[in-house]
Amino acid sequence: MTPWSKVSGDLQLKGLSEPKVINIKAEHLCKAIQEYIQLMLAHGGELKNLISELLCIANNLDKVSKGTKIAGITGGASSVVGGVAAAAGVILAPFTAGASLAITVVGAGVAAAGSVTGASAAIVNKANLNQDNKKIKKNLQEFKDVYEKLQSCLKFINEGIDLLKHHGVSLLKDMMDENMMDSEKAASGVELAVGEASAISSQSSISASGMLDGFAIGMDYYFTKDGKKVKKGLESKLAKKLRTLGEDLELGLKELNDTKDVFSQYV
């Protein structure tokens, strides 16, 4: 989109009449609104999916953290039970002609199984968290890239509405009433500028970008220096932060969709 400063400068150089200037500005505004709608149609689903992935990662972190703790407890208990059974088998062997050695074998097997359970959980935990670290960073960047495009478009629209209002709402309404608009696009732009829906804000986009940047910086607290695993005991805390971020982004996305719906009434 051509910056408003350049549009206004070009119009001044041409020495156009005020109604003509209004028409040109209104057309630029309408084009920006159409671009915003197209961006939302093209990327709204993508933003929703990225939020869902962040929430899924949070759930996964909780499950892995809980599963590892349970596996550790289960594995430890199995090892204790297996150790007791093995000891009992050895002690009873002289009195049972060696028949109790079967208990020793079973006990050793249970103990080994307990160790494997704990070790397997630890391996799965590490693998999952390694993948989640990469996914989180990728999702945050992709979300931010799309959000900044929407933010830029909304900023342009807000500036355009303000520039039209500087000509005076009464003049804009008179031009509409007297059919002085050069095109349907120009009419739509002016209609939006003088309507109740003109107070569109890009604050949600700005806040979302700030949240994403802040979260990305805070990631170092939860992951080790090499970024390969979550620091011990911080899995559930990271999950909570991710879930909060996801919920905030959902609210921001709803605002953007609501804005799209409002714009769709004018173009």
Side-chain angles (χ1 to χ4, degrees):
M1 289 176 291
T2 304
W4 281 113
S5 57
K6 187 177 188 308
V7 172
S8 299
D10 289 345
L11 294 176
Q12 288 175 358
L13 289 174
K14 292 177 181 178
L16 300 175
S17 64
E18 188 171 18
K20 187 64 178 179
V21 170
I22 290 173
N23 270 284
I24 294 174
K25 288 181 178 179
E27 283 197 7
H28 275 79
L29 176 59
C30 186
K31 289 178 182 177
I33 292 169
Q34 290 174 330
E35 182 172 337
Y36 176 82
I37 293 173
Q38 289 303 313
L39 281 172
M40 284 301 299
L41 291 174
H43 299 291
E46 177 186 351
L47 292 178
K48 185 177 180 180
N49 288 338
L50 289 172
I51 293 173
S52 295
E53 285 183 17
L54 288 175
L55 295 176
C56 284
I57 291 172
N59 292 336
N60 181 55
L61 283 166
D62 277 336
K63 288 178 182 178
V64 170
S65 177
K66 184 178 180 181
T68 303
K69 291 176 183 177
I70 292 174
I73 295 171
T74 304
S78 298
S79 298
V80 171
V81 172
V84 171
V90 172
I91 293 170
L92 294 173
F95 305 98
T96 58
S100 62
L101 288 177
I103 299 176
T104 304
V105 175
V106 172
V110 173
S115 300
V116 170
T117 300
S120 297
I123 292 171
V124 171
N125 182 37
K126 183 176 179 181
N128 276 307
L129 297 182
N130 284 348
Q131 293 173 358
D132 288 340
N133 188 14
K134 294 175 183 177
K135 284 182 182 178
I136 292 170
K137 289 180 178 178
K138 182 174 178 289
N139 280 23
L140 293 181
Q141 188 58 53
E142 289 182 1
F143 200 102
K144 184 181 176 183
D145 289 344
V146 175
Y147 240 91
E148 287 181 346
K149 290 180 183 177
L150 292 165
Q151 174 188 335
S152 177
C153 198
L154 278 177
K155 182 180 178 182
F156 185 90
I157 291 170
N158 282 328
E159 291 176 356
I161 290 173
D162 288 340
L163 286 173
L164 281 176
K165 284 183 174 180
H166 285 164
H167 291 281
V169 174
S170 295
L171 175 58
L172 297 177
K173 287 183 176 179
D174 288 343
M175 288 182 64
M176 289 287 292
D177 292 340
E178 296 172 15
N179 295 319
M180 295 174 64
M181 308 313 302
D182 292 347
S183 66
E184 289 185 8
K185 286 185 178 181
S188 296
V190 170
E191 186 180 359
L192 175 62
V194 299
E196 295 180 0
S198 63
I200 299 298
S201 173
S202 59
Q203 188 60 43
S204 61
S205 295
I206 296 172
S207 298
S209 295
M211 284 189 293
L212 291 166
D213 287 337
F215 192 91
I217 294 172
M219 285 272 288
D220 292 340
Y221 171 75
Y222 296 99
F223 286 87
T224 54
K225 289 183 178 180
D226 58 8
K228 290 185 176 180
K229 60 180 179 179
V230 176
K231 293 176 183 177
K232 188 176 181 181
L234 295 182
E235 297 90 351
S236 59
K237 289 184 178 180
L238 176 56
K240 184 177 180 180
K241 289 287 185 181
L242 263 177
R243 195 168 287 109
T244 299
L245 174 65
E247 291 169 354
D248 288 340
L249 292 179
E250 280 183 331
L251 290 175
L253 180 57
K254 182 181 182 302
E255 289 180 12
L256 294 176
N257 274 315
D258 289 344
T259 300
K260 173 182 71 68
D261 293 340
V262 171
F263 286 165
S264 297
Q265 298 173 18
Y266 291 89
V267 296

